[in-house]
Amino acid sequence: MVLIACGGVFLASFLDAIAGGGGIISVPTYLLAGLPMHAALGTNKISASLGSLASVGRYIRNGYIDWKLAVPSIVMALLGSMGGTRLQLLIPEQYLQSLLLVVLPVVAIVVLRQRSFREVPGDIDRRRQRTIVLSASLVIGAYDGFYGPGTGTFLLLIFTGLGQMDVRTASGNVKVVNLASGIGSLITAVLYGEVYWAVGLIASVASFAGHYVGAGLTIRNGAKIVRPVVIVALALLAIKVLTDMI
């Protein structure tokens, strides 16, 4: 169980640090290792949250986090994820999967139409940018708590597209929001007893390594590596949703 979890979680964390969407790989990995669905979602929050510390640390060290946006985003993400996780225990996830089948093609078209993610910040009113970032942190944070896969990808697309942040700063802020939503979801999962601590803590070592390597590649290469990995993440998410529904 531990070997399966560590191998899959490393790959998931590497993907997550670059373009988000690590849960597309890590959640099925925990299921393959033998964990029940709710326990897999809860345990995944341990490795995802602890692993995110590696990428967040690298972005902080290189100055790629806008703290005036990040701090209030943390609060919104915590509130959203805790509410989303509570909702997860009450509502079948099939409803969200059906919604994703509509959303994913639209998101994919947007990504394919834009030639590259912006390397420099866009010209946008600061108040409008704050509204976009905080709203996305709350809504996508709730999605992260409820379902999860693709969270970082959706945040990155919103922060760079609507929020007009440069790709490196957007990636740094995404990891901060992702970390906050993961912690909020984890707290709720722990309260409901849906966490396998031994497996999650051991897999966190692999998660930390994957996030460290992935964040380093993003900082060095920027949009050159982010755009193709985002496309891969969206394709994997579409395959996962279709497979689950079938």
Side-chain angles (χ1 to χ4, degrees):
M1 182 186 289
V2 170
L3 288 175
I4 292 173
C6 286
V9 165
F10 176 83
L11 292 174
S13 301
F14 177 77
L15 172 70
D16 199 61
I18 297 174
I24 303 166
I25 298 175
S26 59
V27 172
T29 295
Y30 282 118
L31 292 172
L32 182 63
L35 275 65
M37 173 57 80
H38 288 302
L41 291 170
T43 304
N44 179 59
K45 294 305 178 185
I46 300 177
S47 57
S49 298
L50 293 179
S52 292
L53 292 173
S55 52
V56 169
R58 294 200 76 166
Y59 285 118
I60 290 175
R61 191 167 68 241
N62 287 274
Y64 287 124
I65 293 180
D66 185 335
W67 287 107
K68 291 183 178 179
L69 293 175
V71 172
S73 294
I74 290 172
V75 177
M76 303 304 283
L78 280 169
L79 293 173
S81 64
M82 293 180 76
T85 303
R86 290 181 64 119
L87 193 61
Q88 173 208 108
L89 301 173
L90 302 174
I91 298 177
E93 64 185 48
Q94 290 92 324
Y95 292 108
L96 191 58
Q97 290 173 341
S98 300
L99 178 61
L100 283 176
L101 283 179
V102 178
V103 173
L104 281 174
V106 177
V107 175
I109 290 172
V110 171
V111 174
L112 292 172
R113 281 176 62 87
Q114 62 185 54
R115 295 180 180 178
S116 178
F117 287 92
R118 60 177 68 251
E119 293 284 359
V120 294
D123 184 16
I124 183 174
D125 179 72
R126 185 66 170 176
R127 186 175 301 176
R128 180 167 176 261
Q129 184 184 52
R130 186 181 297 111
T131 301
I132 291 170
V133 170
L134 296 188
S135 299
S137 299
L138 177 65
V139 175
I140 305 299
Y143 164 77
D144 189 28
F146 185 87
Y147 189 57
T151 297
T153 308
F154 295 144
L155 284 171
L156 182 63
L157 291 172
I158 294 171
F159 286 6
T160 56
L162 298 178
Q164 297 191 34
M165 300 170 70
D166 68 274
V167 68
R168 291 177 176 84
T169 304
S171 295
N173 277 54
V174 164
K175 297 321 300 173
V176 170
V177 173
N178 232 167
L179 176 60
S181 66
I183 291 173
S185 181
L186 175 60
I187 291 171
T188 308
V190 169
L191 293 175
Y192 281 88
E194 296 291 355
V195 172
Y196 280 34
W197 284 100
V199 178
L201 289 173
I202 295 173
S204 295
V205 178
S207 178
F208 195 91
H211 272 283
Y212 187 86
V213 174
L217 286 175
T218 304
I219 290 169
R220 285 195 298 273
N221 299 291
K224 293 179 182 178
I225 191 171
V226 172
R227 185 175 184 272
V229 177
V230 165
I231 294 171
V232 171
L234 290 172
L236 290 174
L237 181 55
I239 292 170
K240 172 177 169 48
V241 172
L242 287 171
T243 304
D244 288 347
M245 293 188 73
I246 292 172

